[in-house]
Amino acid sequence: MTRRYLSRLRGPFRPSAAGKGLSGAFVLLLALLFGPVWPNAALAQGEAPIRMRIVGGLADVSQYLRYEEPFWRERIAQATNGRIVAEIAPFDRSGIRGQEMLSLMRLGVVSFGTALLAVVSTEEPEFNAIDLPAVNPDIAALRRSVAAFRGHLTETLRDRYDVELLGVYVYPAQVVFCRRPFSRLADLAGRRIRTSSVGQSEMFAALGATPVVIPFAEIVSAIRSGVVECAVTGTLSGNDIGLHEVTTHVHGMAITWGLSIFGANLGTWHALPTWARDTIRSEVAKLEADIWDAADRETGEGLACNAGQPSCQNGRRGTMVIVPVTEADEQRRRQLLTESVLPGWVRRCGADCVDAWNKTLAPVLGIRARPE
Protein backbone atom coordinates (compact mmCIF):
# COMPACT_ATOMS: atom_id res chain seq x y z
CA MET A 1 0.00 0.00 0.00
CA THR A 2 2.87 2.37 0.79
CA ARG A 3 4.29 1.75 -2.68
CA ARG A 4 0.94 2.58 -4.27
CA TYR A 5 0.72 5.91 -2.44
CA LEU A 6 4.29 6.82 -3.23
CA SER A 7 3.66 6.21 -6.91
CA ARG A 8 0.56 8.39 -6.77
CA LEU A 9 2.45 11.18 -5.05
CA ARG A 10 5.04 11.12 -7.83
CA GLY A 11 2.29 11.61 -10.42
CA PRO A 12 1.03 14.98 -11.66
CA PHE A 13 -0.57 17.05 -8.94
CA ARG A 14 -1.97 20.53 -9.10
CA PRO A 15 -2.04 21.64 -5.46
CA SER A 16 -4.36 24.36 -4.32
CA ALA A 17 -3.05 27.41 -2.51
CA ALA A 18 -4.01 25.70 0.73
CA GLY A 19 -2.35 22.44 -0.30
CA LYS A 20 0.93 24.21 -1.05
CA GLY A 21 1.14 25.29 2.59
CA LEU A 22 0.88 21.77 4.04
CA SER A 23 4.04 20.92 5.92
CA GLY A 24 5.51 17.43 5.73
CA ALA A 25 5.09 16.94 9.48
CA PHE A 26 1.45 18.04 9.35
CA VAL A 27 0.71 15.67 6.46
CA LEU A 28 2.36 12.79 8.31
CA LEU A 29 0.39 13.51 11.48
CA LEU A 30 -2.89 13.60 9.58
CA ALA A 31 -2.01 10.40 7.76
CA LEU A 32 -1.50 8.66 11.07
CA LEU A 33 -4.78 10.02 12.42
CA PHE A 34 -7.06 9.69 9.40
CA GLY A 35 -5.38 7.41 6.87
CA PRO A 36 -6.75 3.93 6.23
CA VAL A 37 -6.43 1.20 8.80
CA TRP A 38 -6.02 -1.95 6.74
CA PRO A 39 -6.87 -5.48 7.87
CA ASN A 40 -4.14 -8.05 8.34
CA ALA A 41 -3.65 -10.96 5.99
CA ALA A 42 -6.29 -12.96 7.86
CA LEU A 43 -9.03 -10.89 6.19
CA ALA A 44 -8.94 -13.20 3.21
CA GLN A 45 -10.13 -15.98 5.53
CA GLY A 46 -12.72 -13.68 7.10
CA GLU A 47 -10.90 -13.49 10.42
CA ALA A 48 -10.40 -9.73 10.70
CA PRO A 49 -12.61 -6.72 9.89
CA ILE A 50 -11.80 -3.89 7.54
CA ARG A 51 -11.21 -0.83 9.70
CA MET A 52 -11.92 2.63 8.32
CA ARG A 53 -11.26 6.14 9.57
CA ILE A 54 -13.72 8.80 8.45
CA VAL A 55 -13.51 12.59 8.54
CA GLY A 56 -17.10 13.78 8.86
CA GLY A 57 -18.96 17.07 8.59
CA LEU A 58 -19.48 19.88 11.08
CA ALA A 59 -19.53 18.93 14.75
CA ASP A 60 -22.54 19.62 16.99
CA VAL A 61 -25.10 19.87 14.18
CA SER A 62 -27.96 17.50 13.53
CA GLN A 63 -26.44 16.02 10.36
CA TYR A 64 -23.35 14.82 12.19
CA LEU A 65 -24.86 13.90 15.57
CA ARG A 66 -28.00 12.14 14.34
CA TYR A 67 -26.86 10.69 11.04
CA GLU A 68 -23.14 10.62 10.15
CA GLU A 69 -21.74 9.56 13.52
CA PRO A 70 -24.25 6.76 14.28
CA PHE A 71 -23.96 5.51 10.70
CA TRP A 72 -20.21 4.99 10.85
CA ARG A 73 -19.94 3.95 14.49
CA GLU A 74 -22.87 1.50 14.44
CA ARG A 75 -24.84 1.04 11.23
CA ILE A 76 -22.01 0.07 8.88
CA ALA A 77 -20.89 -2.67 11.28
CA GLN A 78 -24.45 -3.94 11.61
CA ALA A 79 -24.95 -3.93 7.84
CA THR A 80 -21.80 -6.02 7.31
CA ASN A 81 -22.06 -8.26 10.39
CA GLY A 82 -18.90 -6.68 11.74
CA ARG A 83 -16.86 -7.10 8.55
CA ILE A 84 -16.41 -3.31 8.36
CA VAL A 85 -15.70 -1.26 11.49
CA ALA A 86 -15.31 2.53 11.29
CA GLU A 87 -14.24 5.47 13.41
CA ILE A 88 -15.33 9.04 12.65
CA ALA A 89 -14.37 12.55 13.75
CA PRO A 90 -15.81 15.90 12.55
CA PHE A 91 -13.41 17.84 10.35
CA ASP A 92 -13.69 21.05 12.39
CA ARG A 93 -12.39 19.23 15.47
CA SER A 94 -9.66 17.35 13.66
CA GLY A 95 -7.14 20.09 13.02
CA ILE A 96 -8.15 20.23 9.35
CA ARG A 97 -8.98 23.42 7.48
CA GLY A 98 -12.03 22.86 5.33
CA GLN A 99 -10.32 24.49 2.35
CA GLU A 100 -7.63 21.77 2.43
CA MET A 101 -9.92 18.73 2.51
CA LEU A 102 -9.81 17.87 -1.20
CA SER A 103 -6.05 18.35 -1.36
CA LEU A 104 -5.59 16.03 1.62
CA MET A 105 -7.84 13.45 0.01
CA ARG A 106 -5.91 13.78 -3.27
CA LEU A 107 -2.71 13.03 -1.37
CA GLY A 108 -4.28 10.03 0.34
CA VAL A 109 -3.72 11.61 3.75
CA VAL A 110 -7.47 11.60 4.35
CA SER A 111 -8.87 8.40 2.88
CA PHE A 112 -12.59 9.03 3.47
CA GLY A 113 -13.68 12.63 3.99
CA THR A 114 -16.51 15.13 3.95
CA ALA A 115 -16.00 18.50 2.24
CA LEU A 116 -18.32 21.50 2.38
CA LEU A 117 -18.81 22.76 -1.17
CA ALA A 118 -19.13 26.39 -0.07
CA VAL A 119 -15.74 26.13 1.65
CA VAL A 120 -13.79 24.25 -1.03
CA SER A 121 -15.33 26.48 -3.69
CA THR A 122 -12.89 29.20 -2.66
CA GLU A 123 -10.37 27.02 -4.54
CA GLU A 124 -12.84 25.39 -6.97
CA PRO A 125 -15.73 27.82 -7.58
CA GLU A 126 -17.15 25.40 -10.14
CA PHE A 127 -18.30 23.11 -7.31
CA ASN A 128 -20.61 25.79 -5.93
CA ALA A 129 -22.74 25.96 -9.09
CA ILE A 130 -25.51 23.80 -7.60
CA ASP A 131 -25.89 25.94 -4.46
CA LEU A 132 -25.41 29.48 -5.67
CA PRO A 133 -27.77 31.99 -4.01
CA ALA A 134 -31.19 32.19 -5.67
CA VAL A 135 -30.74 28.94 -7.63
CA ASN A 136 -32.85 26.65 -5.40
CA PRO A 137 -35.73 28.38 -3.57
CA ASP A 138 -37.02 25.07 -2.18
CA ILE A 139 -35.75 21.54 -1.69
CA ALA A 140 -37.53 20.21 -4.77
CA ALA A 141 -35.51 22.63 -6.90
CA LEU A 142 -32.34 21.63 -5.07
CA ARG A 143 -32.96 17.94 -5.77
CA ARG A 144 -33.32 18.68 -9.48
CA SER A 145 -30.14 20.76 -9.55
CA VAL A 146 -28.07 18.14 -7.74
CA ALA A 147 -29.39 15.36 -9.99
CA ALA A 148 -28.46 17.39 -13.09
CA PHE A 149 -24.97 18.32 -11.86
CA ARG A 150 -23.98 15.11 -10.08
CA GLY A 151 -22.41 13.36 -13.06
CA HIS A 152 -20.20 16.37 -13.80
CA LEU A 153 -19.26 16.65 -10.13
CA THR A 154 -18.31 12.96 -10.05
CA GLU A 155 -16.07 13.26 -13.12
CA THR A 156 -14.43 16.47 -11.93
CA LEU A 157 -13.58 15.05 -8.51
CA ARG A 158 -12.00 11.99 -10.13
CA ASP A 159 -10.04 13.94 -12.73
CA ARG A 160 -8.75 16.78 -10.55
CA TYR A 161 -8.54 15.25 -7.08
CA ASP A 162 -8.51 11.45 -7.45
CA VAL A 163 -11.64 11.34 -5.29
CA GLU A 164 -14.53 8.90 -5.74
CA LEU A 165 -17.83 10.64 -4.96
CA LEU A 166 -19.98 8.50 -2.67
CA GLY A 167 -22.57 10.92 -1.29
CA VAL A 168 -23.97 14.45 -1.46
CA TYR A 169 -25.34 15.76 1.84
CA VAL A 170 -27.47 18.84 2.53
CA TYR A 171 -28.08 21.11 5.49
CA PRO A 172 -31.45 22.81 6.13
CA ALA A 173 -32.34 25.95 4.17
CA GLN A 174 -30.64 29.30 4.78
CA VAL A 175 -33.26 32.04 5.00
CA VAL A 176 -33.53 35.73 5.90
CA PHE A 177 -34.34 36.81 9.47
CA CYS A 178 -35.06 40.53 10.15
CA ARG A 179 -35.76 42.63 13.22
CA ARG A 180 -38.20 44.89 11.35
CA PRO A 181 -41.24 43.84 9.28
CA PHE A 182 -41.01 43.16 5.56
CA SER A 183 -43.43 41.55 3.13
CA ARG A 184 -41.24 40.81 0.09
CA LEU A 185 -37.62 40.60 -0.97
CA ALA A 186 -37.71 44.11 -2.43
CA ASP A 187 -38.36 45.50 1.08
CA LEU A 188 -34.84 44.49 2.12
CA ALA A 189 -33.27 47.27 0.03
CA GLY A 190 -31.32 49.65 2.24
CA ARG A 191 -30.93 47.20 5.13
CA ARG A 192 -27.67 45.81 6.51
CA ILE A 193 -27.76 42.03 6.17
CA ARG A 194 -25.44 39.38 7.58
CA THR A 195 -24.15 37.09 4.84
CA SER A 196 -21.69 34.20 4.84
CA SER A 197 -20.37 33.98 1.26
CA VAL A 198 -19.36 36.05 -1.74
CA GLY A 199 -22.42 34.88 -3.67
CA GLN A 200 -24.83 35.87 -0.91
CA SER A 201 -23.15 39.25 -0.64
CA GLU A 202 -23.45 39.85 -4.39
CA MET A 203 -27.12 38.90 -4.34
CA PHE A 204 -28.07 41.30 -1.54
CA ALA A 205 -25.93 44.10 -2.92
CA ALA A 206 -27.87 43.76 -6.19
CA LEU A 207 -31.05 43.92 -4.16
CA GLY A 208 -29.95 47.29 -2.78
CA ALA A 209 -28.98 46.03 0.67
CA THR A 210 -25.60 46.27 2.41
CA PRO A 211 -24.07 42.82 2.99
CA VAL A 212 -21.89 42.31 6.07
CA VAL A 213 -19.95 39.05 6.46
CA ILE A 214 -20.22 37.95 10.10
CA PRO A 215 -19.35 34.58 11.70
CA PHE A 216 -22.29 32.41 12.72
CA ALA A 217 -21.48 32.67 16.44
CA GLU A 218 -21.70 36.47 16.33
CA ILE A 219 -25.07 36.83 14.57
CA VAL A 220 -27.25 37.46 17.64
CA SER A 221 -24.87 40.02 19.15
CA ALA A 222 -24.62 41.80 15.78
CA ILE A 223 -28.41 42.02 15.59
CA ARG A 224 -28.69 43.25 19.18
CA SER A 225 -26.01 45.91 18.73
CA GLY A 226 -27.47 47.12 15.43
CA VAL A 227 -24.43 46.16 13.34
CA VAL A 228 -26.93 44.41 11.06
CA GLU A 229 -30.72 44.44 10.84
CA CYS A 230 -31.15 41.07 9.14
CA ALA A 231 -29.25 37.80 8.88
CA VAL A 232 -29.11 34.83 6.52
CA THR A 233 -28.79 31.50 8.34
CA GLY A 234 -30.52 28.16 8.81
CA THR A 235 -34.13 28.03 9.95
CA LEU A 236 -33.45 25.68 12.87
CA SER A 237 -29.88 26.76 13.62
CA GLY A 238 -31.14 30.33 13.83
CA ASN A 239 -33.67 29.17 16.39
CA ASP A 240 -30.93 27.31 18.29
CA ILE A 241 -28.92 30.51 18.81
CA GLY A 242 -31.98 32.59 19.77
CA LEU A 243 -32.64 34.60 16.61
CA HIS A 244 -36.38 34.28 17.29
CA GLU A 245 -35.79 36.46 20.37
CA VAL A 246 -34.13 39.36 18.52
CA THR A 247 -35.91 39.30 15.13
CA THR A 248 -39.58 39.52 14.18
CA HIS A 249 -39.91 38.29 10.58
CA VAL A 250 -38.44 35.36 8.64
CA HIS A 251 -38.78 34.75 4.91
CA GLY A 252 -39.94 31.39 3.58
CA MET A 253 -37.62 31.31 0.54
CA ALA A 254 -34.30 29.45 0.72
CA ILE A 255 -31.36 31.65 -0.27
CA THR A 256 -28.86 28.78 -0.16
CA TRP A 257 -28.72 25.38 1.54
CA GLY A 258 -25.23 24.20 2.33
CA LEU A 259 -24.12 21.11 0.43
CA SER A 260 -21.28 18.79 1.30
CA ILE A 261 -19.75 15.84 -0.50
CA PHE A 262 -18.53 12.58 0.97
CA GLY A 263 -15.88 10.72 -0.96
CA ALA A 264 -12.89 8.41 -0.89
CA ASN A 265 -9.33 8.64 -2.13
CA LEU A 266 -9.29 6.56 -5.32
CA GLY A 267 -6.29 4.49 -4.28
CA THR A 268 -7.91 3.56 -1.01
CA TRP A 269 -11.25 2.94 -2.69
CA HIS A 270 -9.97 0.56 -5.34
CA ALA A 271 -7.86 -1.31 -2.79
CA LEU A 272 -11.01 -2.40 -0.98
CA PRO A 273 -12.59 -5.73 -1.97
CA THR A 274 -15.55 -5.49 -4.33
CA TRP A 275 -18.07 -6.58 -1.70
CA ALA A 276 -16.89 -3.78 0.62
CA ARG A 277 -17.14 -1.11 -2.10
CA ASP A 278 -20.63 -2.27 -3.07
CA THR A 279 -21.81 -2.31 0.53
CA ILE A 280 -20.35 1.09 1.40
CA ARG A 281 -21.84 2.68 -1.72
CA SER A 282 -25.32 1.26 -1.12
CA GLU A 283 -25.33 2.07 2.60
CA VAL A 284 -24.04 5.63 2.04
CA ALA A 285 -26.86 6.10 -0.49
CA LYS A 286 -29.32 5.28 2.31
CA LEU A 287 -27.52 7.68 4.64
CA GLU A 288 -27.73 10.39 1.98
CA ALA A 289 -31.48 9.85 1.62
CA ASP A 290 -31.93 10.08 5.40
CA ILE A 291 -29.95 13.33 5.56
CA TRP A 292 -31.97 14.90 2.73
CA ASP A 293 -35.27 13.93 4.34
CA ALA A 294 -34.06 15.38 7.64
CA ALA A 295 -32.97 18.66 5.98
CA ASP A 296 -36.42 19.02 4.44
CA ARG A 297 -38.12 18.24 7.74
CA GLU A 298 -35.86 20.49 9.82
CA THR A 299 -36.29 23.40 7.40
CA GLY A 300 -40.04 23.28 8.01
CA GLU A 301 -39.65 22.68 11.72
CA GLY A 302 -37.30 25.63 12.06
CA LEU A 303 -39.90 27.94 10.56
CA ALA A 304 -42.60 26.38 12.74
CA CYS A 305 -40.57 26.86 15.92
CA ASN A 306 -39.67 30.45 15.12
CA ALA A 307 -43.36 31.18 14.58
CA GLY A 308 -44.49 29.25 17.68
CA GLN A 309 -46.57 26.73 15.76
CA PRO A 310 -47.74 23.47 17.42
CA SER A 311 -45.66 21.33 15.05
CA CYS A 312 -42.45 22.61 16.71
CA GLN A 313 -40.81 19.63 18.43
CA ASN A 314 -37.05 20.20 18.57
CA GLY A 315 -36.71 23.95 19.00
CA ARG A 316 -37.88 26.86 21.11
CA ARG A 317 -41.16 28.48 20.21
CA GLY A 318 -41.08 32.11 19.20
CA THR A 319 -43.64 34.58 17.92
CA MET A 320 -42.13 35.45 14.55
CA VAL A 321 -44.07 36.17 11.37
CA ILE A 322 -43.29 33.86 8.44
CA VAL A 323 -43.20 36.00 5.29
CA PRO A 324 -44.72 33.99 2.42
CA VAL A 325 -43.00 33.72 -0.96
CA THR A 326 -44.93 35.80 -3.49
CA GLU A 327 -44.94 35.70 -7.27
CA ALA A 328 -43.08 39.03 -7.17
CA ASP A 329 -40.40 37.36 -5.01
CA GLU A 330 -40.05 34.53 -7.50
CA GLN A 331 -39.62 36.97 -10.38
CA ARG A 332 -37.09 39.00 -8.41
CA ARG A 333 -35.17 35.84 -7.47
CA ARG A 334 -34.72 34.88 -11.13
CA GLN A 335 -33.71 38.42 -11.99
CA LEU A 336 -31.07 38.45 -9.24
CA LEU A 337 -29.76 35.08 -10.38
CA THR A 338 -29.61 36.08 -14.05
CA GLU A 339 -28.26 39.60 -13.68
CA SER A 340 -26.01 39.38 -10.60
CA VAL A 341 -25.33 36.01 -8.99
CA LEU A 342 -24.60 34.00 -12.15
CA PRO A 343 -22.43 36.67 -13.85
CA GLY A 344 -20.47 37.10 -10.61
CA TRP A 345 -19.84 33.36 -10.42
CA VAL A 346 -18.75 33.28 -14.08
CA ARG A 347 -16.21 36.04 -13.40
CA ARG A 348 -14.70 33.99 -10.56
CA CYS A 349 -14.94 30.67 -12.33
CA GLY A 350 -14.15 31.16 -16.02
CA ALA A 351 -15.12 29.75 -19.40
CA ASP A 352 -15.02 26.08 -18.38
CA CYS A 353 -17.65 26.82 -15.76
CA VAL A 354 -19.88 28.42 -18.36
CA ASP A 355 -19.74 25.21 -20.39
CA ALA A 356 -20.43 23.06 -17.32
CA TRP A 357 -23.43 25.19 -16.32
CA ASN A 358 -24.93 25.23 -19.80
CA LYS A 359 -24.56 21.47 -20.25
CA THR A 360 -25.96 20.47 -16.85
CA LEU A 361 -28.03 23.16 -15.13
CA ALA A 362 -29.28 25.37 -17.95
CA PRO A 363 -31.69 22.69 -19.28
CA VAL A 364 -33.18 22.33 -15.78
CA LEU A 365 -33.28 26.00 -14.77
CA GLY A 366 -33.97 27.56 -18.15
CA ILE A 367 -31.16 30.06 -17.54
CA ARG A 368 -27.95 30.03 -19.58
CA ALA A 369 -24.60 31.35 -18.40
CA ARG A 370 -22.78 33.77 -20.68
CA PRO A 371 -19.01 34.26 -20.84
CA GLU A 372 -17.66 37.58 -19.63
Side-chain angles (χ1 to χ4, degrees):
M1 184 56 60
T2 301
R3 188 176 297 111
R4 178 183 287 110
Y5 278 123
L6 289 175
S7 67
R8 291 171 68 80
L9 289 174
R10 284 194 293 266
F13 173 48
R14 299 186 303 276
S16 65
K20 292 177 182 177
L22 296 175
S23 70
F26 180 60
V27 169
L28 177 60
L29 175 61
L30 288 176
L32 292 173
L33 290 173
F34 299 111
V37 179
W38 296 104
N40 58 33
L43 178 62
Q45 289 76 42
E47 297 177 5
I50 295 174
R51 298 186 179 274
M52 299 170 57
R53 287 173 176 159
I54 312 298
V55 179
L58 292 166
D60 297 331
V61 299
S62 175
Q63 177 177 301
Y64 182 82
L65 295 174
R66 297 183 185 179
Y67 299 96
E68 287 184 81
E69 187 174 37
F71 175 86
W72 290 110
R73 292 195 186 280
E74 302 169 10
R75 184 164 142 189
I76 196 68
Q78 294 169 357
T80 61
N81 293 318
R83 298 175 77 190
I84 297 177
V85 178
E87 301 173 6
I88 184 171
F91 84 86
D92 52 337
R93 291 188 179 171
S94 302
I96 296 174
R97 294 178 67 242
Q99 296 91 330
E100 296 169 349
M101 181 62 74
L102 291 180
S103 293
L104 291 170
M105 293 179 71
R106 171 64 173 82
L107 289 167
V109 174
V110 173
S111 299
F112 296 88
T114 308
L116 275 65
L117 289 187
V119 175
V120 299
S121 67
T122 59
E123 299 294 329
E124 289 283 358
E126 185 171 345
F127 290 162
N128 208 31
I130 41 178
D131 196 26
L132 288 172
V135 169
N136 304 298
D138 53 49
I139 200 162
L142 182 65
R143 288 183 187 275
R144 291 192 294 271
S145 294
V146 170
F149 198 74
R150 189 166 190 145
H152 178 74
L153 183 61
T154 299
E155 292 178 4
T156 305
L157 285 168
R158 283 178 185 157
D159 292 344
R160 296 181 191 172
Y161 289 96
D162 286 351
V163 168
E164 181 72 14
L165 179 65
L166 299 176
V168 179
Y169 305 153
V170 61
Y171 291 101
Q174 304 267 309
V175 299
V176 182
F177 293 75
C178 283
R179 64 186 302 174
R180 289 191 292 115
F182 68 99
S183 60
R184 55 181 182 166
L185 284 175
D187 294 340
L188 300 178
R191 301 194 189 190
R192 296 183 303 280
I193 300 176
R194 180 266 177 179
T195 60
S196 60
S197 69
V198 173
Q200 286 184 6
S201 296
E202 288 176 342
M203 171 182 165
F204 285 103
L207 195 60
T210 301
V212 183
V213 177
I214 294 174
F216 175 76
E218 300 174 16
I219 293 176
V220 171
S221 61
I223 293 277
R224 282 199 173 113
S225 65
V227 172
V228 292
E229 303 167 71
C230 305
V232 179
T233 194
T235 61
L236 199 55
S237 59
N239 181 269
D240 287 341
I241 62 174
L243 267 181
H244 61 290
E245 298 173 352
V246 296
T247 57
T248 62
H249 288 63
V250 58
H251 200 254
M253 176 184 287
I255 304 300
T256 54
W257 290 84
L259 292 172
S260 58
I261 56 170
F262 174 72
N265 168 272
L266 275 177
T268 302
W269 180 246
H270 289 302
L272 290 171
T274 301
W275 70 264
R277 294 199 304 270
D278 292 344
T279 301
I280 292 168
R281 192 180 290 280
S282 63
E283 291 298 318
V284 168
K286 297 174 187 176
L287 171 64
E288 178 180 323
D290 289 343
I291 288 173
W292 277 76
D293 290 344
D296 188 11
R297 184 171 60 253
E298 290 177 9
T299 294
E301 185 170 18
L303 292 172
C305 289
N306 289 315
Q309 296 174 357
S311 58
C312 174
Q313 298 294 324
N314 296 305
R316 293 175 289 171
R317 295 188 182 183
T319 58
M320 297 189 71
V321 174
I322 300 175
V323 179
V325 180
T326 65
E327 179 60 32
D329 284 338
E330 174 59 22
Q331 293 176 2
R332 193 62 189 276
R333 177 190 70 81
R334 289 182 66 86
Q335 180 186 18
L336 290 167
L337 174 58
T338 303
E339 298 179 2
S340 178
V341 174
L342 191 55
W345 175 74
V346 167
R347 284 193 295 272
R348 294 189 298 276
C349 206
D352 289 345
C353 295
V354 172
D355 292 340
W357 175 281
N358 288 337
K359 289 177 182 177
T360 60
L361 293 171
V364 174
L365 300 172
I367 298 173
R368 291 184 60 82
R370 302 185 183 281
E372 286 293 302

